[in-house]
Amino acid sequence: DVKVTQSSRYLVKRTGEKVFLECVQDMDHENMFWYRQDPGLGLRLIYFSYDVKMKEKGDIPEGYSVSREKKERFSLILESASTNQTSMYLCASSLLGQGALSLHFGNGTRLTVT
Amino acid sequence: GQQLNQSPQSMFIQEGEDVSMNCTSSSIFNTWLWYKQDPGEGPVLLIALYKAGELTSNGRLTAQFGITRKDSFLNISASIPSDVGIYFCAGEEGGSEKLVFGKGTKLTVNP
């Protein structure tokens, strides 16, 4: 059974801190995604990676960067956290070419920036 | 970025009632999908639709892929308390590997 594990369920950080959100998947999926979920706005794609060291900007990349040094791990980085980045962050992975049928989400990290 | 127009935003119903929600888009999608998110968890796929006009059922759930490929609906019959959650529609463009999501419908079922 595919497992996408996000390292923290809850995080509280201060404005200006550098924040790392970690995601690991155990099914050898090529694609990995970071989404942001806000009430009334649904899921919005921040960044997407289809291979190690490859990344593509999603719809809302401003204020974020990502790192994919190993196939199973995809990190989201907030270089200088701001209060408007308080949100639920969801990581997901899928098999290249299988698209949505193989897409699995983690349980999310709820980040609060004070 | 593109998002799908999903309605209603929230629903409060009594147990046993039927539920209907829909999604529209200005773009054509090759695949429409419906997800459910339980509190504290990530979204899970309920139904995937691949052909225009396709009607697919999964237990008490029925979903249709619109003829124009720009819309879809999800029906839940005889709702039960465990149907509570947020339902998302999503569209997949051909070959993109990425999904576009609706804003979600939050369903509350009163016993």
Side-chain angles (χ1 to χ4, degrees), chain B residues 15 36-39 60 79-85 87 107 109:
Chain B
E15 183 176 358
K36 183 193 177 196
Q37 183 180 31
D38 289 323
R60 293 179 295 107
S79 58
I80 58 178
S82 61
D83 290 334
V84 163
Y87 291 79
L107 178 64
V109 180

Side-chain angles (χ1 to χ4, degrees), chain B residues 10-21 36 38-39 60-61 76-87 105-111:
Chain B
S10 61
M11 300 183 77
F12 297 85
I13 63 169
Q14 293 298 124
E15 183 176 358
E17 287 184 12
D18 297 343
V19 171
S20 186
M21 57 193 78
K36 183 193 177 196
D38 289 323
R60 293 179 295 107
L61 277 58
I76 305 172
S77 62
S79 58
I80 58 178
S82 61
D83 290 334
V84 163
I86 303 176
Y87 291 79
T105 296
K106 186 172 183 180
L107 178 64
T108 302
V109 180
N110 296 314

Side-chain angles (χ1 to χ4, degrees), chain B:
Chain B
Q2 185 180 178
Q3 272 199 299
L4 305 179
N5 299 311
Q6 184 173 351
S7 64
Q9 189 170 350
S10 61
M11 300 183 77
F12 297 85
I13 63 169
Q14 293 298 124
E15 183 176 358
E17 287 184 12
D18 297 343
V19 171
S20 186
M21 57 193 78
N22 67 79
C23 240
T24 60
S25 169
S26 56
S27 304
I28 288 174
F29 289 106
N30 289 346
T31 306
W32 278 89
L33 308 115
W34 287 92
Y35 288 83
K36 183 193 177 196
Q37 183 180 31
D38 289 323
E41 298 185 12
V44 173
L45 182 64
L46 295 174
I47 290 181
L49 302 153
Y50 301 102
K51 284 172 56 175
E54 179 182 356
L55 186 72
T56 295
S57 293
N58 179 5
R60 293 179 295 107
L61 277 58
T62 302
Q64 183 157 30
F65 190 152
I67 291 289
T68 64
R69 295 163 66 196
K70 292 183 177 181
D71 63 299
S72 177
F73 72 75
L74 175 71
N75 287 342
I76 305 172
S77 62
S79 58
I80 58 178
S82 61
D83 290 334
V84 163
I86 303 176
Y87 291 79
F88 292 100
C89 62
E92 185 176 41
E93 296 169 334
S96 77
E97 304 283 339
K98 294 180 286 185
L99 297 183
V100 178
F101 283 87
K103 295 182 179 182
T105 296
K106 186 172 183 180
L107 178 64
T108 302
V109 180
N110 296 314

Side-chain angles (χ1 to χ4, degrees), chain A residues 28-90:
Chain A
D28 206 34
H29 283 176
E30 292 86 359
N31 299 330
M32 294 190 76
F33 307 82
W34 275 106
Y35 288 91
R36 174 176 169 159
Q37 180 179 5
D38 299 289
L41 296 178
L43 274 65
R44 294 178 291 167
L45 183 63
I46 306 172
Y47 266 99
F48 159 51
S49 169
Y50 54 90
D51 201 354
V52 175
K53 297 193 187 294
M54 305 301 285
K55 61 185 178 185
E56 271 189 31
K57 291 180 180 179
D59 297 320
I60 51 164
E62 296 79 20
Y64 304 95
S65 62
V66 290
S67 172
R68 187 134 182 233
E69 296 296 320
K70 293 185 177 182
K71 190 175 185 179
E72 66 270 20
R73 185 179 296 270
F74 193 34
S75 303
L76 181 69
I77 303 157
L78 288 65
E79 293 290 341
S80 177
S82 64
T83 54
N84 63 13
Q85 292 178 310
T86 292
S87 187
M88 170 69 86
Y89 290 88
L90 288 165

